[in-house]
Amino acid sequence: MDIQHTTLLIIGGGPGGYVAAIRAAQLGIATTLVEGEQLGGTCLNVGCIPSKAMIHAADAYHQAHHFMGGSALGIQVEAARIDIAQTVRWKDGIVARLTGGVGALLKKHGVKVVKGWAHIVDGKTVDVTQDISDTKPVRIQGEHLLLATGSVELGLPGMPFGGRVISSTQALSPERIPGKLVVVGGGYIGLELGLVYRKLGADVTVVEAQDRILPLYDEELTKPVTNSLRKLGLQVHLASTVQGLNAAGDAVRVLDGVGRELDLAADQVLVAIGRVPNTHGWGLEKLMLAMQGRALKVDDQCRTSMRNVWAIGDLTGEPMLAHRAMAQGEMVAEIISGKRRQFAPAAIAAVCFTDPEIVVVGQSPVDAAKAGLDCISAHFPFAANGRAMTLEATDGFVRVVARRDNHRIVGWQAVGVGVSELSTVFSHSIEMGACLEDVAGTIHAHPTLGEAVQEAALRALGHALHV
Ligand code: FAD
Ligand code: NAD
C-alpha cells in the first residue's frame, strides 16, 4: 500500500481543524487535512452561520408582519409573505460562500485537503475511505496527528431522530413551516431555533427538564428572554420529562413540573438536548487515550495522553464553541512550529442569539462569590440608553463584576437587542486586565449601546451619569 507522508495530519475540517491547517501552513509546516463532509464543519454548514442566517430572516419577516397592524414608527405594511424555499436558498448561499472561502484559503496556503473519512491505524497513521464499501483506502502518515472531529447531537432514548423527530440540522433547512413544533430542550439551540419557527408562524412549545430556561445563565439574565418568549406566544413547560411520542405518533407525551401528563400535539419535534464529543466510529479507541467524561482529555497545550497526538474543539468537551475551537487550533499549529504557547484565556465569551441576546464573559456575581472573591457589581439598564430607545430595544442591561480591592474587572454580562457585539469589548477588557476606572475613563461614542458598558463601570464606582 502506498503511504502519503506529511508533518501535520489533521482529522476534521471544522473551525478547529481548518484554522489549525491555515496557521500551520503559514508557519511552513507540511499539512494534510482530512474531511469526510464539507469544509467548515458543524459551524459553517449546520451550526453557527446557518442558524444566525435563519434568525435574521425570521426577524425580518416578523417585523414586516408586525408592521401590518401599523406601528408607532408610522410604518404600515399591507401584507407580509415568506417564500421559505427562497429563504433556505439564501442561507445556503451564505454557507457556500464561506465554505468555498475556507477551501480557497487552504489551497492558497498549500494545505493538502483529502476528502474522505479517516480511520485511525495508530498514533501517526490513518486510512481514508470514501464510504463503508471502499476497499481501497488511502493511507496517510504524519509526524503529528491533530484530532478535530467535533461533536454530534444527543438523541432521546425513546424518540430517535427520523420522521417527525428532527435535529437542528433538519430544522435549519425547512421545506415548510410546521403548524405545531414541539422543542425538547430550552438551551441554546432550542431557544434560538424555537424563536425562529415562532417568528415564521409556527405554534411553538418548549419542554425543558430543568426548572428554568437556559439553566447555564443566572435568572436575572434569562428573565428578559422569558418575558419575550411569553410576549411572542411560545409555550414553555419547565421541570418536565418527555416520555415519547403517543401511539398515533402525532403528539409528545410529557410529564410536566406539577405532575400532569400532557399530550403536546406536534407536526414536528425538534430535539435539542445537547451535543457530545464525536469519539466513536473512526477507530479512536485504538489509541486508548485518557478521557475526561465523554471528552478527550487534553492539557493546557491541547496535548492528549499520547506523544504528538493533539486534540481541539468540541472533541475536548465544554464549552463547545467555535471561537474556542479556532483559538485552540491556531495555538497547536504554533506549538508544533516551535513557539511557546499555552491555552489559558482569561475568559471565553458565550453568546446566546435569542431575542433579546445574552452575553456572558468571565464571572457572574455568584461565580465570583463561589470562587471566594469579594466583588462589587453594577447594572446599567438599556431603558436609560438613548440608542436603545431609537432601536425600540430598551429591555435588558449591562452588568459588570469587579474585585472590591483593586477594581480589576472579572466579569461582564448583558442581555438586550444586539448585545452579541458587546462581547468583543467585554473580552478585551478582561483579557487586558482592565479596572473599572479604565472603562469608566474611556470616551465611548454617542449614541451607542456601548455607552451602557461605560455607565455600568461608572455605576460600580458610585457615580453613574445617566441613571
Ligand atoms: P466541527 O465543526 O463539528 O467539525 C468537525 C469536522 O470533522 C466535521 O466537518 C466532520 O465532518 C469532520 N469529521 C468527523 N469525523 C471525521 C472523520 N473520521 N474523518 C474525516 N472527517 C471527520 N458555536 C458558537 O461559538 N457560536 C454559535 O453561534 C454556535 N451556534 C451553533 C448552532 C448550532 C445549530 C450548532 C449545532 C452548533 C453551534 N455552535 C455555535 C457550536 C459550533 O458549531 C461548534 O462548537 C464548532 O463547530 C466546533 O468546531 P470543531 O472544529 O471542534 O468541530
Ligand atoms: P444546551 O446544553 O445548550 O441545552 C440543552 C437543554 O436541554 C438544557 O437546557 C437541558 O437542561 C435540556 N435537556 C436535557 N435533556 C433534556 C430532556 N430529556 N428533556 C428536556 N430537556 C432536556 O444544548 P443544545 O441547545 O443542544 O446545544 C448544543 C451545544 O451547541 C451547546 O452546548 C453549545 O455548545 C453549542 N451551541 C452554541 C450556540 C451559541 O453559541 N450561540 C448556539 C447553538 C449551539
Side-chain angles (χ1 to χ4, degrees), residues 156 185 187-189 192 207-210 215 272-274 320-321 351 353:
L156 272 170
Y188 280 97
I189 295 177
E192 287 185 6
V207 181
E208 165 57 48
Q210 303 283 320
I273 57 168
M320 293 195 198
L321 298 172
V351 179
F353 293 82

Side-chain angles (χ1 to χ4, degrees), residues 37 52 89 116 222 243:
E37 287 188 69
K52 273 72 235 178
R89 277 197 295 277
T222 57
Q243 318 219 289

Side-chain angles (χ1 to χ4, degrees), residues 56-411:
H56 174 67
D59 281 348
Y61 176 66
H62 178 71
Q63 187 143 30
H65 212 262
H66 174 70
F67 285 151
M68 277 168 60
S71 68
L73 280 67
I75 300 171
Q76 179 145 14
V77 166
E78 290 303 318
R81 266 187 296 277
I82 185 161
D83 172 355
I84 197 70
Q86 169 55 27
T87 309
V88 171
R89 277 197 295 277
W90 167 77
K91 179 264 299 177
D92 288 343
I94 294 170
V95 169
R97 272 216 301 284
L98 286 168
T99 54
V102 167
L105 284 171
L106 291 169
K107 193 169 170 197
K108 179 185 145 201
H109 286 93
V111 174
K112 180 163 188 193
V113 175
V114 176
K115 178 110 181 59
W117 294 102
H119 302 260
I120 300 272
V121 176
D122 61 36
K124 287 186 184 302
T125 318
V126 304
D127 279 347
V128 180
T129 54
Q130 295 311 309
D131 55 47
I132 269 175
S133 61
D134 185 353
T135 53
K136 288 207 177 97
V138 174
R139 180 158 288 191
I140 312 174
Q141 226 162 44
E143 283 168 38
H144 295 267
L145 179 61
L146 174 56
L147 311 176
T149 56
S151 60
V152 290
E153 60 257 329
L154 265 175
L156 272 170
M159 223 166 68
F161 292 114
R164 280 174 205 238
V165 182
I166 61 169
S167 70
S168 54
T169 298
Q170 290 94 56
L172 287 168
S173 292
E175 283 170 19
R176 66 189 76 81
I177 297 304
K180 289 182 190 303
L181 176 74
V182 171
V183 177
V184 184
Y188 280 97
I189 295 177
L191 294 185
E192 287 185 6
L193 297 186
L195 278 159
V196 165
Y197 274 70
R198 178 68 197 129
K199 289 180 179 179
L200 293 178
D203 281 338
V204 176
T205 305
V206 178
V207 181
E208 165 57 48
Q210 303 283 320
D211 58 6
R212 56 201 190 79
I213 55 160
L214 294 168
L216 280 178
Y217 298 129
D218 67 72
E219 208 157 359
E220 206 177 7
L221 275 175
T222 57
K223 205 165 165 215
V225 178
T226 301
N227 292 342
S228 153
L229 297 179
R230 194 175 309 122
K231 223 159 96 188
L232 288 163
L234 285 94
Q235 304 289 318
V236 180
H237 294 280
L238 298 173
S240 300
T241 318
V242 170
Q243 318 219 289
L245 290 178
N246 68 352
D250 58 4
V252 180
R253 311 214 65 188
V254 170
L255 189 61
D256 82 358
V258 290
R260 289 176 305 178
E261 282 197 1
L262 309 172
D263 272 9
L264 303 174
D267 299 307
Q268 277 188 325
V269 185
L270 167 60
V271 175
I273 57 168
R275 295 178 64 87
V276 286
N278 175 15
T279 51
H280 286 97
W282 48 283
L284 176 66
E285 58 287 349
K286 281 189 202 148
L287 301 183
M288 292 197 290
L289 299 176
M291 304 292 290
Q292 190 150 41
R294 299 172 86 157
L296 262 193
K297 187 173 177 187
V298 287
D299 68 8
D300 61 3
Q301 291 190 311
C302 289
R303 295 176 193 270
T304 68
S305 53
M306 184 179 272
R307 197 177 140 79
N308 290 347
V309 178
W310 313 73
I312 54 174
D314 285 9
L315 180 63
T316 62
E318 299 286 349
M320 293 195 198
L321 298 172
H323 39 289
R324 170 176 171 266
M326 291 192 242
Q328 290 177 322
E330 188 206 23
M331 178 198 69
V332 168
E334 295 202 345
I335 295 172
I336 291 172
S337 81
K339 291 187 193 291
R340 281 164 65 93
R341 289 287 310 272
Q342 198 188 9
F343 193 71
I348 299 177
V351 179
C352 190
F353 293 82
T354 36
D355 176 8
E357 295 171 347
I358 298 179
V359 181
V360 172
V361 188
Q363 292 171 307
S364 68
V366 173
D367 299 332
K370 276 192 193 150
L373 288 179
D374 182 16
C375 282
I376 44 178
S377 79
H379 297 70
F380 188 82
F382 284 119
N385 174 280
R387 178 65 175 146
M389 287 181 206
T390 66
L391 294 169
E392 298 183 286
T394 49
D395 273 356
F397 57 86
V398 173
R399 182 171 68 195
V400 64
V401 186
R403 288 173 60 133
R404 195 180 299 278
D405 56 358
N406 57 12
H407 293 176
R408 173 76 73 93
I409 296 168
V410 297

